[in-house]
Amino acid sequence: MPENQTPDLTKVPTEVLMNYYGHQYDRMGKLEDQRTAITNITITLSVLALTFGFGDATGFSEVVAYGLLTVMILANLFAITYIVRTNSWIQTHELRAKGILAARFSDLREFDRQTHAKHGRWALSRWKIQMYLHVLLLLLAVVMTTLLMVYY
């Protein structure tokens, strides 16, 4: 099929389309669950790095502190990269699902549009909250590394 040609979904059985539609949302859910798991692991690593790196002033070791801050920086960079990358896949799955509704189930698509919850002006999506959290932890690690270099 040529790239600019719209597929004719009228020939596809309804059951197949509905399974495909459900599969798109299943994939989105799994990707969001993976992002949440990576965020949880990264937060845990960051808290452990801060606790063990700077929790005991008497047993302070610059090498350990630098190592733990490096782990914290790398973990948060990985999490940010993963969140950005999975966001494009989630959007792809959502476009596919909405495309099926628009092509074959226009009444359902219209209902979907009309029943979408209105978000406030300052509302943030889950992935943006995760991104800001990782950026904050990354900046904290960079600032602490800088302070460590200056004062020790």
Side-chain angles (χ1 to χ4, degrees), residues 109-126:
R109 174 67 177 133
E110 188 55 35
F111 175 76
D112 188 53
R113 244 185 246 167
Q114 290 176 2
T115 57
H116 192 313
K118 303 278 189 265
H119 299 290
R121 181 176 178 194
W122 297 101
L124 294 174
S125 61
R126 185 179 318 132

Side-chain angles (χ1 to χ4, degrees), residues 20-36 82 86-98 101 112 126:
Y20 186 76
Y21 175 85
H23 176 71
Q24 300 311 307
Y25 277 94
D26 182 53
R27 292 300 309 142
M28 286 189 290
K30 287 180 180 175
L31 287 168
E32 287 176 350
D33 289 346
Q34 289 172 358
R35 283 198 307 212
T36 301
Y82 188 81
T86 57
N87 196 49
S88 65
W89 282 108
I90 288 172
Q91 288 175 346
T92 298
H93 292 301
E94 185 175 25
L95 286 172
R96 288 175 181 167
K98 301 291 183 182
L101 289 182
D112 188 53
R126 185 179 318 132

Side-chain angles (χ1 to χ4, degrees), residues 7-110:
D8 182 14
L9 295 179
T10 58
K11 297 176 183 176
V12 180
T14 301
E15 184 178 317
V16 172
L17 287 176
M18 293 313 294
N19 283 337
Y20 186 76
Y21 175 85
H23 176 71
Q24 300 311 307
Y25 277 94
D26 182 53
R27 292 300 309 142
M28 286 189 290
K30 287 180 180 175
L31 287 168
E32 287 176 350
D33 289 346
Q34 289 172 358
R35 283 198 307 212
T36 301
I38 286 174
T39 293
N40 291 339
I41 291 167
T42 304
I43 290 171
T44 302
L45 284 174
S46 297
V47 168
L48 288 173
L50 292 173
T51 301
F52 290 116
F54 302 96
D56 184 15
T58 58
F60 179 77
S61 166
E62 286 183 53
V63 175
V64 171
Y66 280 125
L68 292 173
L69 287 172
T70 302
V71 167
M72 189 174 164
I73 290 169
L74 292 175
N76 281 286
L77 282 174
F78 170 76
I80 289 168
T81 303
Y82 188 81
I83 289 169
V84 169
R85 183 67 186 118
T86 57
N87 196 49
S88 65
W89 282 108
I90 288 172
Q91 288 175 346
T92 298
H93 292 301
E94 185 175 25
L95 286 172
R96 288 175 181 167
K98 301 291 183 182
I100 288 172
L101 289 182
R104 283 284 300 276
F105 308 101
S106 57
D107 289 341
L108 188 56
R109 174 67 177 133
E110 188 55 35

